[in-house]
Amino acid sequence: MFLSLTGCSVFSSGDVDVYPDAKNTANTVKALHKISTKEVRKTPKKYWSSLPSSNNTCIDNFNFLKSASQDDYSEFEERYSRISSVYSFLNKNKNIMDPDARSILSISLSMKLNTLCEEIKYKGYQLVRDKVRIVENGDSVSSSKTGQ
């Protein structure tokens, strides 16, 4: 389903340094790809076991979403796949592209990825907020996407 993310190497090639967080973005892309290709475990082995942190908030939020709401995760995974395919395009054509076009595309991809990460973070917040409402009110959440 996913393309290989070799497109990330454009950020470390020396001739393209248009975004200050480019290496962070490249690492996030690689890690998101790694998460999205792993099988989802629906129930943990132990009830109280916790998932380890990756020390990258975007990756951690994506992992949380994957375990909390498979439907929402699938939607974000599809958007990530589109970003990934453009990273592949950029990597394939970086040596023959106009430097300005390459820079614009690199910046645009970084912004898209950062936006996706923030939307994933917010969706995770909404899921937790819904869980808190259940605990406080004893109500059921109106959305079936909460992964109760």
Side-chain angles (χ1 to χ4, degrees):
M1 178 192 294
F2 281 90
L3 299 173
S4 175
L5 280 185
T6 56
C8 302
S9 64
V10 71
F11 295 114
S12 61
S13 65
D15 59 317
V16 177
D17 191 17
V18 296
Y19 192 69
D21 293 329
K23 286 186 180 179
N24 253 351
T25 302
N27 291 336
T28 300
V29 169
K30 288 177 185 176
L32 283 174
H33 179 69
K34 208 180 264 189
I35 290 169
S36 65
T37 57
K38 290 182 181 176
E39 183 178 316
V40 177
R41 210 175 356 141
K42 297 201 180 221
T43 56
K45 289 182 181 177
K46 296 179 184 175
Y47 183 73
W48 292 106
S49 66
S50 63
L51 299 173
S53 173
S54 68
N55 296 322
N56 180 318
T57 56
C58 185
I59 302 307
D60 290 343
N61 290 330
F62 204 55
N63 274 328
F64 174 73
L65 187 64
K66 186 175 184 179
S67 66
S69 175
Q70 188 62 39
D71 291 339
D72 291 320
Y73 171 79
S74 296
E75 175 189 326
F76 286 110
E77 183 181 39
E78 181 182 314
R79 290 177 50 201
Y80 167 75
S81 180
R82 289 192 305 262
I83 293 170
S84 173
S85 67
V86 179
Y87 267 112
S88 295
F89 168 82
L90 178 61
N91 187 55
K92 180 179 179 182
N93 295 293
K94 68 182 180 183
N95 293 326
I96 59 173
M97 288 177 76
D98 176 72
D100 292 334
R102 185 175 57 224
S103 295
I104 294 296
L105 187 54
S106 296
I107 291 169
S108 177
L109 285 169
S110 294
M111 289 186 332
K112 288 281 189 191
L113 183 61
N114 290 337
T115 300
L116 181 67
C117 288
E118 290 302 315
E119 289 177 15
I120 291 169
K121 179 180 177 179
Y122 183 67
K123 180 48 92 174
Y125 165 77
Q126 289 176 320
L127 292 169
V128 170
R129 183 193 63 204
D130 289 345
K131 296 289 185 188
V132 169
R133 285 182 183 158
I134 291 171
V135 171
E136 287 177 348
N137 303 327
D139 297 339
S140 63
V141 177
S142 61
S143 171
S144 63
K145 291 184 177 184
T146 59
Q148 299 176 19

